[in-house]
């Protein structure tokens, strides 16, 4: 299938991009190349460009090609985890003495990377509410090399204007990287809005089945893709062939799954808004969400993530998290099964006591694809 012109639709690319039938057997699914090294036809005579699987592996190549197609980028790179992908991005762009802007409610693991790893290396960072463009402009320094954006943010689901942030970054000679994990390319394509690099935890919606750990970067232009590849190969935190295959399998149903995630989340939001024990609901699809207009402009759906606050404080929030049955109390998100978590002591424990600390009455949901009536009944009984 010609994947270049005219451009096929999203679901078609998810199933076919980089995934041609195996030329030897005709298998319609890319094989898992569980191999470390490749025979050469003489010194330097590589077959199809493969020599050692840290550098390249056919199964990983299929995934990376598909990711680049879905995000509209020049090059995709697959990693062992989202943190490994983030590390390569930072090492590629930043050096000691450089400065990075991060969201004021950045994911706890990313905050830990900046505050305990890169701070020791001499990279400075400033948390900023990225939805406030004046605050972003005021925080930019001559040494700013990167704006690190999450939109929607985790766990407060704030929305940043990607196109506006790209302009601010480029005017300052910096780059914009967008963590697109919460949306996936099915709902949002930051490169088309001006971002330079997209990052994913492929563990989440791209994999979709809570059975793989992985990460990805997609670069908008080939030169930057080559820079990222150099560091990926040098540092070695690559996705293994079986993990790459699992993510590819998940991507095939990504668009279908996101339709159900979004529909179920919207119904859950409606329930939570009416419930007397819920004091606030965070969801970009709500008309009264502070950045709803921006979300509607740059997203093709409002996602499956919902956060809310509970009357009664921390004890009540903990009771809700521990009282569900279908919503499993667990880390992570984006799988077909619904999950519930308590950010203050779980995903965002790393920011406890800092200016980024999340409310202790906050509950986060990853709304799955189960029958919505069952999910709503589960939340009702847990809320009381």
């Amino acid at each position: 299938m010609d994947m270049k012109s005219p451009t096929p639709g999203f679901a078609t690319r998810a199933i076919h991009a980089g995934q041609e039938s195996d030329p030897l057997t005709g298998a319609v699914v890319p094989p898992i190349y569980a191999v470390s090294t490749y025979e050469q036809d003489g010194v330097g005579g590589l077959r199809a460009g493969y020599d050692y699987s840290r550098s390249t592996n056919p199964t990983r190549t299929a995934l990376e090609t598909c990711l680049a197609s879905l995000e509209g980028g020049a090059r995709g790179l697959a990693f062992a985890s989202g943190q490994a992908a983030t590390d390569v991005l930072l090492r590629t762009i930043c050096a000691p003495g450089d400065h990075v802007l991060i969201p004021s409610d950045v994911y706890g693991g990313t905050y830990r990377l900046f505050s305990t790893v890169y701070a020791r290396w001499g990279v400075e960072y400033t948390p900023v509410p990225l939805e406030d463009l004046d605050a972003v402009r005021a925080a930019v320094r001559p040494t700013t090399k990167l704006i690190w954006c999450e939109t929607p943010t985790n766990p407060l689901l704030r929305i940043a204007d990607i196109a506006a942030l790209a302009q601010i970054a480029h005017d300052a000679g910096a780059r914009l990287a967008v963590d697109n994990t919460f949306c996936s390319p099915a709902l949002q394509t930051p490169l088309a809005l001006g971002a330079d690099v997209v990052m994913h935890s492929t563990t989440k919606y791209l994999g979709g089945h809570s059975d793989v750990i992985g990460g990805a970067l997609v670069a908008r232009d080939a030169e930057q893709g080559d820079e990222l590849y150099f560091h990926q190969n040098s540092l070695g935190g690559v996705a293994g062939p079986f993990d790459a295959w699992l993510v590819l399998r998940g991507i095939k149903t990504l668009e279908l799954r996101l339709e159900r995630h979004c529909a179920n989340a919207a119904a859950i939001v409606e329930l939570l808004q009416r419930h007397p024990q819920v004091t606030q609901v965070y969801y970009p699809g709500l008309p009264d969400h502070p950045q709803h207009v921006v979300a509607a402009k740059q997203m093709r759906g409002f996602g499956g993530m919902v956060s809310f606050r509970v009357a009664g404080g921390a004890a009540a929030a903990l009771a809700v998290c521990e009282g569900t049955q279908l919503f499993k109390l667990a880390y992570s998100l984006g799988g077909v099964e619904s999950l519930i978590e308590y950010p203050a002591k779980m995903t965002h424990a790393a920011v406890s006591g800092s200016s980024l600390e999340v409310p202790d009455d906050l509950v986060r949901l990853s709304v799955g694809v189960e029958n919505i009536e069952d999910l709503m009944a589960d939340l009702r009984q847990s809320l009381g």
Side-chain angles (χ1 to χ4, degrees):
M1 179 178 184
D2 182 2
M3 299 302 297
K4 295 181 179 179
S5 180
T7 303
F10 184 90
T12 302
R13 285 179 285 133
I15 294 169
H16 293 286
Q19 302 168 73
E20 294 78 13
S21 298
D22 179 56
L24 179 63
T25 66
V28 298
V29 175
I32 301 171
Y33 283 89
V35 57
S36 61
T37 192
Y38 306 79
E39 183 180 3
Q40 300 187 17
D41 297 323
V43 176
L46 307 185
R47 298 182 189 179
Y50 295 99
D51 58 0
Y52 189 63
S53 276
R54 171 171 47 79
S55 301
T56 48
N57 173 280
T59 313
R60 193 168 83 239
T61 297
L63 172 59
E64 292 175 337
T65 302
C66 186
L67 289 168
S69 176
L70 296 183
E71 285 287 3
R75 186 164 192 172
L77 300 165
F79 294 84
S81 69
Q83 290 298 89
T86 302
D87 185 40
V88 161
L89 175 65
L90 295 177
R91 289 176 188 265
T92 302
I93 294 176
C94 299
D98 288 342
H99 174 247
V100 180
L101 298 184
I102 65 173
S104 55
D105 63 333
V106 69
Y107 165 58
T110 304
Y111 175 77
R112 182 174 60 241
L113 192 60
F114 279 106
S115 64
T116 65
V117 177
Y118 279 87
R120 291 170 53 200
W121 193 44
V123 173
E124 299 181 313
Y125 65 94
T126 302
V128 182
L130 295 186
E131 67 276 10
D132 184 343
L133 297 178
D134 289 334
V136 174
R137 293 187 187 96
V140 171
R141 305 176 186 173
T143 56
T144 302
K145 292 294 188 291
L146 177 69
I147 297 177
W148 175 266
C149 172
E150 297 173 8
T151 183
T153 60
N154 179 9
L156 298 178
L157 299 172
R158 294 170 179 159
I159 303 296
D161 187 325
I162 296 171
L165 288 178
Q167 187 65 56
I168 294 172
H170 298 157
D171 287 347
R175 301 184 200 183
L176 174 65
V178 177
D179 181 342
N180 202 26
T181 298
F182 268 33
C183 280
S184 88
L187 300 184
Q188 181 173 267
T189 42
L191 299 181
L193 298 170
D196 298 288
V197 184
V198 167
M199 193 283 288
H200 284 282
S201 170
T202 59
T203 308
K204 313 304 194 296
Y205 286 107
L206 288 166
H209 294 80
S210 300
D211 55 8
V212 62
I213 298 291
L217 296 174
V218 180
R220 185 174 59 176
D221 64 68
E223 181 180 357
Q224 187 162 242
D226 291 344
E227 293 175 358
L228 292 168
Y229 169 73
F230 173 82
H231 284 83
Q232 180 199 41
N233 186 42
S234 299
L235 294 168
V238 298
F242 183 56
D243 292 342
W245 184 87
L246 284 172
V247 176
L248 267 175
R249 183 195 63 173
I251 285 175
K252 292 177 186 292
T253 59
L254 177 63
E255 189 171 61
L256 287 171
R257 287 186 285 107
L258 260 296
E259 290 177 4
R260 184 65 169 263
H261 283 297
C262 291
N264 279 358
I268 293 296
V269 165
E270 186 176 351
L271 180 156
L272 293 172
Q273 284 190 297
R274 297 195 309 263
H275 202 285
Q277 290 299 106
V278 175
T279 60
Q280 188 171 1
V281 180
Y282 300 88
Y283 189 65
L286 289 171
D288 60 356
H289 185 287
Q291 296 92 44
H292 173 71
V293 172
V294 176
K297 178 181 70 173
Q298 67 187 24
M299 298 167 66
R300 294 180 289 277
F302 298 113
M305 301 302 298
V306 180
S307 293
F308 62 98
R309 300 176 74 170
V310 182
L318 282 166
V320 172
C321 290
E322 294 171 351
T324 56
Q325 296 174 5
L326 284 179
F327 281 88
K328 303 301 183 184
L329 179 61
Y331 285 93
S332 200
L333 59 103
V336 291
E337 64 287 306
S338 293
L339 302 178
I340 190 168
E341 68 115 359
Y342 183 61
K345 296 295 183 184
M346 294 175 67
T347 53
H348 288 68
V351 301
S352 179
S354 76
S355 61
L356 282 68
E357 187 172 61
V358 299
D360 66 0
D361 59 354
L362 186 74
V363 175
R364 192 192 75 180
L365 303 177
S366 173
V367 182
V369 301
E370 300 94 337
N371 291 102
I372 187 58
E373 296 82 4
D374 298 326
L375 293 179
M376 293 172 72
D378 190 33
L379 277 180
R380 286 194 194 97
Q381 66 82 24
S382 185
L383 284 163

